[in-house]
Amino acid sequence: MAGRRARTGRGWDAGPPRTGDATGTPQPRRGRRGRAAEPEPGEAPAPSRDEAELAREICLRQLATRPRTRAELAGALARRGISEETAEQVLDRYDEVGIVDDAAFARAWVSSRHNGRGLARRALATELRQKGVDGEVAGAALDGLDEETEAETARALVDRKLRTARGEPDAVFRRLVGMLARKGYPAGVAIRAVKDALAAQSAEAAEFAERIDADALADAENDLDARRHD
């Protein structure tokens, strides 16, 4: 019929195919707001994004939550399939500009975990090693935490716990020494801190504390610890 458009298999023909331009060349389908739609099964996938750009985005997302060591970032990149070569390039650049600084991380970690959780050098050294901090770098960060500071912190922890401690002096003694040991304090430091705190608590506790040979007990604990690690 004159004036009517020719009917095709997809309905009334209103012009060039939707998937092509005016010449009929296929064009990528667009989703909402002009974004390219996901390819249909069997279609070739879109080219992958630049790996270095993706690596930088992964690192920045990791660093947005808290500071990270270079080893932590390298692990995150490996888990996302970033090649070792690209990871090294990105992390080297972050080292250069100071975005990644293991020495600064170690100093901040030691300060935060000692002041906030009361952790001693041994526990802090273990945590830094687990985060991939080099032993020399970790040692430099721990240098500021001397024996006197550790002893003061241990005593403060014990005094705080004693306010709510219940039970016989010997049971309280064992619990508090165990608490300090879990925080990384050497046996001698832990035993002396608890003994001194008990001596100042009450007459009964002081009498118990007098019977404690801190040096002999510390030597026994150290020997036991050495045998465990043989």
Side-chain angles (χ1 to χ4, degrees):
M1 180 181 293
R4 291 188 178 180
R5 296 174 179 170
R7 187 167 184 168
T8 69
R10 62 184 179 88
W12 293 103
D13 190 1
R18 292 183 182 180
T19 57
D21 57 13
T23 64
T25 303
Q27 297 294 309
R29 297 182 311 283
R30 296 286 169 178
R32 293 182 180 178
R33 300 182 181 178
R35 295 178 181 174
E38 292 294 326
E40 294 289 341
E43 290 184 347
S48 61
R49 63 195 307 180
D50 180 73
E51 188 180 43
E53 178 187 354
L54 178 58
R56 288 190 290 270
E57 289 182 5
I58 294 169
C59 288
L60 292 176
R61 285 199 298 270
Q62 291 282 312
L63 292 167
T65 56
R66 67 167 176 82
R68 308 272 178 173
T69 65
R70 180 178 176 121
E72 287 182 302
L73 293 176
L77 294 175
R79 288 191 296 273
R80 293 292 300 275
I82 302 298
S83 69
E84 185 175 347
E85 180 182 3
T86 298
E88 287 292 322
Q89 292 174 352
V90 170
L91 294 176
D92 284 346
R93 178 56 180 163
Y94 281 1
D95 277 338
E96 291 174 7
V97 299
I99 294 177
V100 178
D101 186 339
D102 280 6
F105 174 93
R107 290 192 299 269
W109 187 268
V110 169
S111 176
S112 172
R113 299 287 282 176
H114 178 74
N115 294 325
R117 297 287 303 279
L119 299 187
R121 288 173 57 94
R122 185 168 60 185
L124 291 167
T126 298
E127 290 188 341
L128 290 175
R129 183 170 60 251
Q130 291 171 343
K131 293 191 174 297
V133 177
D134 177 77
E136 186 175 342
V137 173
L142 291 165
D143 280 345
L145 187 56
D146 56 26
E147 293 181 1
E148 183 179 353
T149 302
E150 277 197 329
E152 291 174 355
T153 304
R155 176 60 188 272
L157 288 169
V158 172
D159 286 341
R160 190 181 311 140
K161 289 290 185 180
L162 272 177
R163 295 171 193 158
T164 57
R166 298 291 183 269
E168 295 298 319
D170 60 335
V172 172
F173 175 81
R174 289 194 300 272
R175 287 202 303 271
L176 294 180
V177 169
M179 179 268 293
L180 292 177
R182 289 190 295 274
K183 290 181 178 292
Y185 288 90
V189 173
I191 291 168
R192 291 185 185 91
V194 179
K195 176 180 177 176
D196 292 345
L198 287 173
Q201 185 191 37
S202 67
E204 181 185 8
E207 182 180 354
F208 170 80
E210 281 295 320
R211 299 195 301 269
I212 297 174
D213 186 337
D215 292 334
L217 190 54
D219 289 342
E221 288 292 330
N222 289 331
D223 289 343
L224 181 60
D225 189 55
R227 285 197 295 272
R228 290 195 194 103
H229 292 87
D230 281 344

